[in-house]
């Protein structure tokens, strides 16, 4: 969630002063006046009060899909938050009893991990990533920092889902998202899990309802489906679908997001963790909205093999070329879906008006490239400049320069130093026009302000930094900071 200003007696004046300051910084203003007033405090980028999707976001919501065989989903109105009487807030995903899943999940690294994270991690370890039947998710309450009672509630959700599915105990992953520090209205959820089971279906409408049920401050449901092929089974059409939620408190390891990816490809249990880690490192671990890492983050992968064909196995010494090709094809399919889902999270960033790709190239190592990209993506000065449509590349260079500096007293990182005389910075327009060079080999370019203004008017923008110290690169996706975010 975005940080909130205090609501004390003086907060309205303080809020106005802070927003005026942000406006001046974003636009690079040198005067102390601003035309922004309280009358302009309209939430242009967040969801309307009636939960409809803003017009600017409707293009991201699919109207149809091709979903994996053997899976059914539902979205059910529970009213986890008492004020909610219309929006689905309990999602259930289940596989056929005859097609249990190989499964894996990647969890937050926040030390205050929510009860569902603890429960689901232990479940996957006990199951050795095999024999999973489903996932149950509630929105409206995170069940985080809720002590032993919260752990009991997470277990109760999982066991109730197991019972509804006719599965043995410990077959269902649990996720929760919402407010931290509050206990779930657990009985209300348990009473509605049978209803969620009865509502299971495999149509696009069912998948969209499930994707909607996991949303909190999201302005639109995030759902992707597609097909792919495996080299060993050229005649088989494999299907994969994913859904995610997230709009604020977003940063690697991971963020306030939940995600499920399901496929009907046949996968060995040890393949799922390896593939999911590869995918998440290049997707959900490469986005940032506000630099905060939450307590509940979970992305799960389930593969039930319902489409048939040769099982995908983990490449080891002596593995056939065909098996290795299958593994890479499957890994690429999962990574592609995860990447596109992660980008949707950024596009729905709280108060965001721009989608920004940060690409760092010609680095000595991928780790160094990621640190530079992360620093730029997290910089409030960069993000407010982008909102103000200000081509202030000095802020980009500043973040680049401090990105590899360790904290006082910390050991020096084993990464190559940045060479200022080799560093290049450009804006790469997304309309196909030539890049706008801002810094070339450490020397500033004479920037065409009119051209820069045109580039910064675009909804999508790429910032390209070439370090000139190697051949590695990394990409981050982020957004700007607007008045609404504050």
């Amino acid at each position: 969630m975005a940080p909130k200003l205090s609501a004390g007696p003086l907060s309205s004046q303080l809020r106005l002063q802070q927003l005026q300051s942000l406006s001046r910084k974003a636009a690079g203003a040198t005067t102390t006046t601003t035309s922004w007033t309280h009358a302009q405090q309209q939430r242009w980028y967040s969801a309307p009060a009636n939960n409809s999707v803003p017009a600017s976001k409707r293009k991201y919501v699919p109207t149809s899909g091709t979903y994996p065989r053997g899976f059914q989903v539902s979205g059910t109105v529970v009213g986890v938050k008492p004020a909610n009487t219309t929006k689905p807030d309990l999602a259930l995903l289940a596989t056929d009893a005859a097609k249990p899943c190989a499964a894996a999940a990647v969890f937050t690294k926040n030390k205050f991990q929510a009860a569902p994270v603890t429960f689901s991690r232990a479940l996957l370890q006990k199951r050795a990533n095999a024999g999973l039947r489903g996932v149950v998710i509630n929105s409206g309450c995170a069940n985080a920092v809720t002590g032993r009672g919260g752990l009991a509630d997470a277990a109760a959700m999982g066991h109730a889902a197991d019972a509804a599915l006719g599965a043995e105990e410990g077959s269902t992953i649990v996720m929760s998202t919402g407010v931290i520090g509050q206990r779930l209205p657990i009985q209300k959820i348990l009473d509605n899990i049978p209803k969620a089971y009865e509502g299971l279906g495999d149509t696009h409408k069912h998948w969209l309802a499930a994707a909607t049920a996991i949303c909190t401050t999201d302005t639109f449901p995030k759902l992707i489906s597609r097909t792919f092929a495996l080299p060993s089974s050229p005649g088989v059409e494999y299907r994969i679908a994913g859904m995610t939620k997230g709009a604020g408190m977003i940063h690697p390891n991971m963020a306030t997001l939940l995600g499920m990816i399901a496929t009907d490809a046949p996968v060995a249990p040890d393949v799922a963790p390896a593939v999911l880690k590869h995918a998440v490192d290049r997707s959900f671990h490469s986005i940032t909205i506000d630099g905060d890492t939450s307590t509940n983050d979970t992305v799960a992968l389930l593969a039930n093999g319902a489409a048939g064909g040769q099982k995908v196995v983990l490449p080891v010494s002596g593995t056939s070329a065909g098996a290795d090709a299958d593994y890479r094809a499957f890994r690429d399919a999962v990574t592609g879906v995860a990447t596109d889902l992660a980008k949707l999270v950024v596009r729905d960033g709280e108060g965001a008006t721009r989608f920004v790709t940060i690409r760092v190239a010609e680095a000595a190592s991928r780790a160094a490239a990621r640190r530079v990209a992360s620093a730029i993506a997290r910089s409030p000065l960069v993000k407010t400049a982008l909102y103000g449509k200000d081509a202030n590349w000095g802020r980009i260079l500043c973040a680049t320069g401090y990105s590899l500096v360790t904290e006082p007293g910390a050991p020096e990182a084993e990464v190559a130093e940045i060479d200022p005389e080799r560093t290049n910075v450009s804006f790469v327009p997304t309309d196909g026009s030539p890049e706008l060079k801002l810094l070339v080999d450490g020397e500033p370019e004479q920037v065409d302000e009119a051209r820069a203004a045109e580039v910064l008017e675009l909804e999508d923008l790429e910032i390209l930094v070439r370090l000139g110290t190697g051949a590695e690169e990394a990409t981050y996706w982020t957004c700007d900071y607007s008045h609404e975010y504050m």
Side-chain angles (χ1 to χ4, degrees), residues 250-253 285-291 293 357-360 366-380 382-383 396 399-400 402-404 465 474-478:
I250 302 294
H251 190 62
N253 295 323
H285 281 173
S286 294
I287 61 174
T288 185
I289 289 175
D290 46 27
T293 298
T357 299
I358 311 291
R359 184 158 62 94
V360 177
R366 185 169 181 270
R370 279 185 59 84
R371 287 182 62 178
V372 173
S374 176
I376 297 169
R378 286 182 290 113
S379 167
V382 171
K383 294 160 84 71
I396 300 169
T400 301
Y402 66 63
S403 61
L404 302 183
V465 177
T475 300
Y476 255 67
W477 296 281
T478 190

Side-chain angles (χ1 to χ4, degrees), residues 46-60:
S46 57
N50 62 0
N51 292 321
S52 63
V53 176
S56 62
K57 305 292 181 68
R58 290 172 191 163
K59 59 188 175 185
Y60 302 120

Side-chain angles (χ1 to χ4, degrees), residues 24-26 28 376 379-386 390 392-400 402:
R24 291 194 296 274
K25 288 180 180 180
I376 297 169
S379 167
L381 291 179
V382 171
K383 294 160 84 71
T384 51
L386 292 170
D390 179 8
N392 191 338
W393 56 266
R395 297 182 177 186
I396 300 169
L397 198 67
C398 176
T400 301
Y402 66 63

